[in-house]
């Protein structure tokens, strides 16, 4: 009689542990819609002949367009589409920048653990993507910035600090 009661207790404890660990896994791998914002703040800057300048810029993707004066932090709606930036200043050639949109880590977690439904939601809302944090527009040039390059540079700098 005691053996049967102990087995039931162990079974209940194992179920509780499994439920708790499963919940923790889901929360930490999480849907980007829950763990990330639809907006991302980016550092917009403009240079001409290696000098920082003020410029009027328009940023746009399939989710909208935003006007900002560089240098400035600007919030944009995230998207799976690249972000186009055009800056203008009288007497200076226009600067054009394309910020490549990359899937964030939580998007991959959705695909692996969520069976893809969360990934579809995050794709449609834009929360599963990130742009590079810095948008360095060079007047008179067309520039492409990529989060992948930004991460590589961060890792290189971190390894130099060691």
């Amino acid at each position: 009689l005691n053996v049967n009661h102990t087995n039931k207790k162990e079974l209940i404890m194992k179920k509780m542990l499994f439920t708790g660990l499963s919940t923790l896994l889901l929360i930490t791998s999480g849907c980007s819609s829950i763990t990330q914002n639809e907006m991302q703040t980016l550092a917009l800057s403009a240079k001409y002949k290696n000098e920082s300048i003020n410029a009027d810029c328009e940023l746009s993707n399939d989710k909208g367009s935003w006007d900002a004066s560089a240098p400035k932090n600007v919030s944009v709606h995230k998207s799976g589409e690249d972000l186009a930036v055009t800056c203008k200043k009288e007497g200076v050639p226009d600067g054009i920048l394309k910020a490549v949109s990359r899937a964030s880590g939580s998007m991959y977690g959705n695909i692996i653990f969520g069976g893809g439904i969360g990934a579809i939601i995050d794709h449609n809302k834009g929360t599963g993507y990130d742009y590079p944090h810095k948008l360095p527009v060079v007047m008179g040039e067309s520039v492409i910035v990529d989060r992948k390059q930004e991460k590589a540079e961060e890792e290189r700098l971190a390894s130099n600090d060691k």
Side-chain angles (χ1 to χ4, degrees), residues 66-134:
W66 302 267
D67 292 322
S69 295
K72 186 176 189 173
N73 287 337
V74 59
S75 291
V76 300
H77 197 293
K78 294 196 248 180
S79 168
E81 298 295 318
D82 295 341
L83 183 70
V85 181
T86 303
C87 293
K88 298 175 181 285
K89 181 176 175 106
E90 192 172 320
V92 175
D94 293 354
I96 298 170
L97 179 139
K98 178 171 85 168
V100 177
S101 176
R102 294 279 179 195
S104 64
S106 55
M107 181 70 115
Y108 296 115
N110 269 333
I111 294 167
I112 294 167
F113 298 112
I117 292 178
I120 293 168
I121 293 167
D122 292 343
H123 171 76
N124 290 336
K125 291 179 82 176
T127 53
Y129 298 95
D130 286 316
Y131 292 116
H133 294 104
K134 296 177 183 175

Side-chain angles (χ1 to χ4, degrees), residues 9-156:
K9 265 185 154 179
E10 283 180 22
L11 186 61
I12 291 170
M13 291 299 286
K14 285 181 181 178
K15 283 182 179 180
M16 287 174 57
L17 180 63
F18 177 77
T19 302
L21 289 174
S22 297
T23 302
L24 181 63
L25 179 65
L26 286 173
I27 289 170
T28 56
S29 67
C31 178
S32 297
S33 295
I34 295 168
T35 62
Q36 293 194 22
N37 195 323
E38 291 178 22
M39 303 299 284
Q40 182 179 355
T41 301
L42 309 170
L44 176 65
S45 63
K47 283 190 173 189
Y48 182 60
K49 296 184 178 179
N50 290 326
E51 298 284 329
S52 291
I53 64 166
N54 296 328
D56 294 322
C57 304
E58 180 183 27
L59 300 83
S60 63
N61 62 22
D62 63 322
K63 303 289 184 184
S65 65
W66 302 267
D67 292 322
S69 295
K72 186 176 189 173
N73 287 337
V74 59
S75 291
V76 300
H77 197 293
K78 294 196 248 180
S79 168
E81 298 295 318
D82 295 341
L83 183 70
V85 181
T86 303
C87 293
K88 298 175 181 285
K89 181 176 175 106
E90 192 172 320
V92 175
D94 293 354
I96 298 170
L97 179 139
K98 178 171 85 168
V100 177
S101 176
R102 294 279 179 195
S104 64
S106 55
M107 181 70 115
Y108 296 115
N110 269 333
I111 294 167
I112 294 167
F113 298 112
I117 292 178
I120 293 168
I121 293 167
D122 292 343
H123 171 76
N124 290 336
K125 291 179 82 176
T127 53
Y129 298 95
D130 286 316
Y131 292 116
H133 294 104
K134 296 177 183 175
L135 304 177
V137 177
V138 180
M139 304 304 282
E141 294 184 25
S142 181
V143 178
I144 297 174
V145 292
D146 191 334
R147 178 80 181 119
K148 200 183 263 188
Q149 293 166 333
E150 194 175 68
K151 277 185 157 183
E153 180 65 14
E154 289 169 1
E155 289 170 6
R156 186 186 68 77

